[in-house]
Amino acid sequence: AEVEWVTSPGLVVRASLHTGSADLRMGDYYGPTVNRAARLRAIAHGGQTILSGATYQLVQDQLPDGLSLVDMGDHGLKDLTRPERVYQLDIDDLPSTFPPLLSLGAVPNNLPIQLTEFIGRERELEDVKRLVGENRLVTILASGGSGKSRLAIQAAAELSSAFPHGVFFIELAGFTTGGEIVQALTEALGLGSVTDEDRQTQLLSYLAGKRQLLVFDNFEHLRGEAKLVTEILRAAPEVKIIATSREKLNLTGEVVFSLSGLNISWDTSSDAITTSAVRLFVDAAERADPSFELTDETLEPLASILRLTGGLPLAIILAAAWVDMLPVDEIAREIEKNLDFLETEMGDVPDRHRSIRAVFDYSWALLSDAERETFTALSVFRGGFAREAAQNVADASLRAIANLAAKSLISSDPSTGRYVTHELLRQYAEAQLESDPVRCDEVKSAHAGYFADVMQDALALFPVSEQVRMVKMVEDDIDNIRAAWHHYCGARDGVGVQRMMTTLYFVHELRGWYPAGIASFDEVLGAFAEAVDDESVIAREMSRVARSAFVTLRGSPGLGAAEATVAMDSLPESTSAADRWIAVQCVAISMAYGGDVENMIATLDEAFDTYSGLDEQLWVSGIKNWRSFGAALAGDFETVDRLTAEALTVYESKDEHYFMVWALWLRGMLAVAGGRYEEAVEMYTRQVDRATSIGYTRGLAVAYEGLGEANEAAGLLDEAESAFIRSVRAAEQMGMAPDMLNLMMKTARVRAAMNRDTDAVELLAAVCANPISEKQPFTELVPIRENAASILDEVRSRIDSGVYDDALARGECAAFDSVLNELLGRGTESTSLPV
């Protein structure tokens, strides 16, 4: 900093400080601490010095004069392990202002956090990055266990800065159809299917103009559906794709990167530690036995192990797991005994394929009968499992789990207490389980029963102010819950479906996972189409009515109301009062969005009389919310005041969140109608807080809309515009197209009141040009376009006709994506709303 540089600004150096244990091996330092320091440095800018949380803890109380630390928050580093708390070191008289850190979170992504360091594929990583830079479709081709998924994920992380619209990972294992690929991709991108248009068409429309990187993992069993990749590349010229597969996709433009085993040779013992396969073995061995040391004596038998395994990462890890029980030379001898049959079975099978099979079979052969039974039972889990689940489903003791983890058959995440089985190993164990159909059915039934219990336990948290914990319970095991749901549908078990469906409905409602919810309830409708017994009919019709709500929220209230009516008429008399309450809520949603206020009020009045005897006051008060809304739409604010006051008394006594969101919203509407705008702002602000606390996206959307209405009525136009735009953003996350357009119309109305007439006309023209504007929004009794037209007429009367016509033409011709992105301040990023 003190040098007089010839050029300006001179040499600027980025630096990072991290503290931890490093391994001194043969004259150099290695290990996660060194790697972490390098990854930390990579997110800094020239002239900037940053610290890890570990270093901060050591120095925060003993800084020299003139130095200070600034908390930069948590940042994901591109090693994809845990996020790091980062601090900036500020020094007097030196620059302290820099651009945002170049961390992984700077770009939208869903790349999975990794439990171990990326080791041994640095050269291959650079090759893949280069190929992706030069081509649009790169397939990483290798057999199972080669580390192709990890390589693809790491490449995506390091390339993320080149894709401003995001990097997204789509796991295809377990899928069987192209429709499932489209569904998984839309979920990964956070899209909602908002019209009756074909979902794939909507997806391709969304991707057009995006600059994104998509990673499709495990494509080999879906090669017949690979045409979707071509369609994406044709529709979206700025999108690039990395696929991992055991077979070529055979697509035009495909560049194949064949991934072989890790480097397993070295010239001298000092070179060994830099060899990729050795580094991986040592890392895995130290996890199995922290006292493990690589010595000159172990290098020769280690070379045999690496040769026998063909350098495949998974095989190396499994071999290294035995170091706490066997010396390295014995591991080599044991592996060698089990390779011959594979090498002689098929001459055209790569050595590495035979090696991974040898490791699987060898590991299986060395398990005790009890361990085999446990390992095969654990194969029913999807997306990992908690220890309690393993104990209940697979009768797996803590010691049994620890033994399997020690042998690298499962791995653990200490931060979450969960375990996961590598997918290839899980499939291997599942095949063993399925060889005994009776036991397989027993284990899968136990798995389904356990997660049905989880759903029941989660539902019990709903009325006792534990809705955050309820959602987390479901999200942690969503893959297992979906597997249990599939099991009950396949078994035509109506009771099992009923035990899960209410919780499934509420979680999908809170999170705005409407397409996924519709798909789940569709599965029930198909499985129970011909059912006649009461339990199965209840499962079917309750699924139908839940589905109707989500169909409505996606923008088809007519279809939703029709489905809800059919379901209500078909429910048997034996349906519980609580289930009928859920049905009433879904019917009310459909009627409200469809503008059928009269029938909505009649249905709710009947429901209130029927269900007022429910033991749980909370559910009855929920009906009061909906009846209050019907009264508000009818202009009966006396009823709104009375019913919401009664309902709030119940919610506040329980410190409830979900229902209170809607009661506060109605109180805000009441205050606006009475001209009490400060009170309305208070109600809507409380609603925002409650919705935020449980991650309720739709609750946030309507809360911000209410804030906009209240501030607009009070003449606080800047605050109103900001609130409406926030509501647009929340509605977009759920793919609620009519709501988005209605909110854009209200934003334009505020701009017109600000005398920003041309801005208002352009925005209103874009709204009217969208065919969805013919629909009627949630809180209005007339179509969006009709309201927009009245504002346009008002503005036209007061500005020059030429100015008006030019603004109208610009709005009508503008791409909807660009209009929305400008409104949300996102530059060129586009939206999920189809036009």
Side-chain angles (χ1 to χ4, degrees):
E2 297 175 354
V3 169
E4 293 293 331
W5 293 96
V6 176
T7 59
S8 178
L11 182 63
V12 286
V13 177
R14 56 183 177 176
S16 68
L17 301 172
H18 181 46
T19 306
S21 299
D23 299 323
L24 180 61
R25 302 174 188 156
M26 300 181 180
D28 207 348
Y29 288 104
Y30 296 88
T33 298
V34 179
N35 298 336
R36 195 72 173 174
R39 290 294 186 183
L40 185 63
R41 181 193 61 207
I43 71 172
H45 298 275
Q48 186 177 31
T49 298
I50 56 179
L51 283 65
S52 69
T55 303
Y56 170 81
Q57 293 298 326
L58 295 173
V59 304
Q60 59 176 321
D61 296 325
Q62 47 185 329
L63 292 172
D65 293 339
L67 273 64
S68 60
L69 295 172
V70 178
D71 188 347
M72 308 294 284
D74 291 330
H75 289 269
L77 307 184
K78 291 182 181 179
D79 58 5
L80 291 166
T81 56
R82 58 174 174 79
E84 180 69 63
R85 194 74 172 187
V86 179
Y87 300 82
Q88 177 177 295
L89 178 65
D90 283 356
I91 304 173
D92 289 353
D93 301 321
L94 290 180
S96 60
T97 301
F98 301 92
L101 294 174
L102 302 172
S103 55
L104 191 59
V107 173
N109 75 90
N110 69 340
L111 298 179
I113 296 296
Q114 303 297 304
L115 302 181
T116 58
E117 294 280 332
F118 181 77
I119 295 175
R121 292 288 194 191
E122 289 80 3
R123 177 181 57 79
E124 293 90 338
L125 176 62
E126 293 305 314
D127 288 342
V128 170
K129 289 162 58 179
R130 174 182 55 80
L131 289 173
V132 173
E134 298 171 351
N135 304 276
R136 298 190 58 211
L137 172 59
V138 176
T139 300
I140 301 176
L141 190 66
S143 60
S146 299
K148 54 186 180 294
S149 300
R150 184 69 174 91
L151 175 61
I153 293 168
Q154 189 64 43
E158 298 201 8
L159 289 166
S160 59
S161 59
F163 297 92
H165 296 142
V167 176
F168 297 95
F169 178 80
I170 304 94
E171 169 62 70
L172 303 181
F175 291 173
T176 58
T177 67
E180 289 177 302
I181 302 176
V182 173
Q183 174 68 29
L185 181 52
T186 56
E187 289 184 0
L189 295 172
L191 306 184
S193 185
V194 296
T195 71
D196 294 332
E197 187 179 6
D198 175 72
R199 182 178 296 160
Q200 181 169 319
T201 301
Q202 295 179 44
L203 172 64
L204 296 177
S205 175
Y206 168 81
L207 290 172
K210 286 290 190 297
R211 191 174 181 184
Q212 288 181 334
L213 177 62
L214 307 179
V215 181
F216 289 104
D217 192 39
N218 292 310
F219 220 125
E220 57 273 353
H221 62 294
L222 293 167
R223 289 177 61 219
E225 307 294 340
K227 59 182 181 296
L228 174 64
V229 172
T230 298
E231 293 172 3
I232 290 173
L233 295 175
R234 286 175 177 168
E238 294 294 314
V239 169
K240 294 192 175 186
I241 292 175
I242 299 175
T244 71
S245 180
R246 301 182 195 183
E247 298 181 53
K248 289 177 61 175
L249 303 186
N250 289 327
L251 298 176
T252 302
E254 178 186 23
V255 175
V256 175
F257 179 75
S258 296
L259 189 63
S260 59
L262 295 172
N263 181 21
I264 61 173
S265 62
W266 54 86
D267 295 328
T268 65
S269 59
S270 60
D271 294 333
I273 193 59
T274 64
T275 303
S276 57
V278 175
R279 290 169 54 205
L280 182 62
F281 183 92
V282 171
D283 179 77
E286 288 179 341
R287 292 200 303 272
D289 180 6
S291 66
F292 176 81
E293 291 185 4
L294 182 66
T295 65
D296 288 341
E297 288 74 24
T298 57
L299 281 177
E300 184 176 350
L302 177 55
S304 297
I305 291 174
L306 300 180
R307 176 179 56 81
L308 292 168
T309 60
L312 263 70
L314 183 56
I316 292 169
I317 291 170
L318 289 170
W322 291 101
V323 298
D324 63 335
M325 298 181 62
L326 300 173
V328 177
D329 58 348
E330 188 170 345
I331 294 173
R333 287 194 297 272
E334 292 294 334
I335 292 177
E336 189 169 15
K337 294 176 184 176
N338 292 273
L339 287 177
D340 291 343
F341 78 100
L342 280 173
E343 290 184 352
T344 59
E345 184 177 353
M346 292 197 308
D348 60 346
V349 175
D351 288 344
R352 59 184 182 275
H353 194 185
R354 293 196 293 267
S355 298
I356 192 65
R357 174 55 59 186
V359 172
F360 285 161
D361 289 341
Y362 179 72
S363 298
W364 178 260
L366 293 177
L367 292 176
S368 67
D369 290 341
E371 287 172 332
R372 290 180 185 180
E373 187 170 338
T374 300
F375 186 45
T376 55
L378 293 176
S379 70
V380 299
F381 288 102
R382 301 291 190 274
F385 55 89
R387 189 177 74 194
E388 181 182 356
Q391 291 172 333
N392 281 273
V393 173
D395 195 24
S397 67
L398 178 59
R399 182 174 296 279
I401 294 172
N403 288 342
L404 293 174
K407 297 175 181 179
S408 289
L409 294 174
I410 61 175
S411 57
S412 64
D413 181 353
S415 65
T416 63
R418 291 176 64 84
Y419 297 85
V420 64
T421 305
H422 187 286
E423 179 59 21
L424 288 173
L425 281 166
R426 193 202 64 76
Q427 292 175 13
Y428 180 90
E430 186 177 42
Q432 301 291 337
L433 178 65
E434 291 174 345
S435 66
D436 184 346
V438 173
R439 182 167 177 270
C440 181
D441 184 67
E442 290 175 350
V443 174
K444 289 186 176 181
S445 295
H447 176 270
Y450 177 82
F451 285 103
D453 289 343
V454 168
M455 296 293 269
Q456 292 281 289
D457 292 343
L459 184 61
L461 298 173
F462 187 87
V464 293
S465 305
E466 293 281 0
Q467 291 155 1
V468 173
R469 191 152 67 94
M470 177 197 81
V471 173
K472 187 177 187 306
M473 285 176 65
V474 176
E475 287 183 326
D476 284 349
D477 274 303
I478 189 63
D479 292 332
N480 284 310
I481 286 165
R482 286 172 175 166
W485 183 265
H486 295 331
H487 175 82
Y488 282 133
C489 289
R492 308 295 193 271
D493 186 338
V495 174
V497 168
Q498 287 184 61
R499 295 181 66 210
M500 302 182 72
M501 66 180 312
T502 302
T503 310
L504 201 69
Y505 164 77
F506 275 122
V507 170
H508 283 71
E509 154 70 353
L510 286 169
R511 286 294 182 260
W513 294 344
Y514 302 138
I518 290 171
S520 294
F521 295 126
D522 275 344
E523 187 175 0
V524 178
L525 297 182
F528 294 88
E530 305 300 327
V532 294
D533 63 284
D534 276 7
E535 297 299 342
S536 296
V537 171
I538 291 171
R540 183 185 66 213
E541 299 309 322
M542 286 301 297
S543 293
R544 191 190 308 279
V545 79
R547 183 187 188 280
S548 74
F550 293 157
V551 167
T552 295
L553 294 170
R554 290 171 60 203
S556 300
L559 179 60
E563 287 193 355
T565 302
V566 169
M568 286 293 288
D569 291 343
S570 303
L571 282 172
E573 292 183 2
S574 59
T575 304
S576 70
D579 278 350
R580 285 188 178 274
W581 180 92
I582 297 292
V584 168
Q585 167 159 305
C586 294
V587 169
I589 289 174
S590 298
M591 291 180 173
Y593 271 84
D596 189 359
V597 178
E598 183 178 347
N599 280 327
M600 174 188 174
I601 291 174
T603 299
L604 290 167
D605 283 341
E606 180 183 353
F608 187 77
D609 292 338
T610 302
Y611 308 133
S612 58
L614 278 175
D615 292 337
E616 178 51 65
Q617 286 182 307
L618 189 66
W619 304 107
V620 178
S621 298
I623 295 177
K624 292 182 179 180
N625 275 352
W626 283 104
R627 181 61 181 85
S628 298
F629 180 54
L633 291 176
D636 180 7
F637 291 104
E638 181 180 345
T639 298
V640 177
D641 189 15
R642 176 175 57 83
L643 291 180
T644 54
E646 293 173 1
L648 273 174
T649 300
V650 174
Y651 305 149
E652 289 173 345
S653 70
K654 296 176 177 291
D655 191 27
E656 201 275 336
H657 292 76
Y658 173 79
F659 291 115
M660 187 176 282
V661 163
W662 296 106
L664 291 169
W665 177 61
L666 290 160
R667 297 297 291 183
M669 291 176 61
L670 185 66
V672 169
R676 303 186 304 277
Y677 304 129
E678 288 187 8
E679 179 186 338
V681 169
E682 179 191 354
M683 292 296 110
Y684 290 131
T685 301
R686 288 177 61 191
Q687 183 189 1
V688 168
D689 292 341
R690 289 283 173 167
T692 300
S693 69
I694 57 174
Y696 190 8
T697 308
R698 188 159 69 94
L700 279 174
V702 297
Y704 282 124
E705 182 179 9
L707 275 174
E709 297 277 8
N711 283 306
E712 182 183 10
L716 302 174
L717 300 182
D718 288 335
E719 290 84 348
E721 181 187 35
S722 175
F724 283 138
I725 290 173
R726 288 188 176 194
S727 188
V728 172
R729 183 174 287 110
E732 185 201 17
Q733 291 176 15
M734 299 175 288
M736 297 175 67
D739 297 74
M740 290 168 61
L741 291 168
N742 188 49
L743 290 160
M744 293 169 72
M745 178 272 294
K746 292 183 178 182
T747 304
R749 185 177 67 199
V750 171
R751 289 179 174 179
M754 293 173 163
N755 295 318
R756 294 168 55 187
D757 291 331
T758 56
D759 289 346
V761 170
E762 287 185 29
L763 187 53
L764 289 166
V767 169
C768 291
N770 194 299
I772 300 174
S773 65
E774 295 179 349
K775 296 192 175 185
Q776 182 174 307
F778 184 34
T779 55
E780 312 290 338
L781 296 179
V782 296
I784 300 163
R785 187 174 294 167
E786 184 175 328
N787 277 330
S790 66
I791 302 170
L792 282 171
D793 288 342
E794 178 186 343
V795 176
R796 181 189 302 177
S797 68
R798 67 175 186 241
I799 67 173
D800 179 81
S801 60
V803 173
Y804 176 89
D805 290 341
D806 289 345
L808 190 71
R810 286 194 299 272
E812 289 174 340
C813 297
F816 189 85
D817 278 2
S818 63
V819 174
L820 183 61
N821 291 325
E822 181 179 355
L823 184 68
L824 299 180
R826 287 192 307 215
T828 59
E829 184 181 350
S830 62
T831 176
S832 61
L833 179 65
V835 179

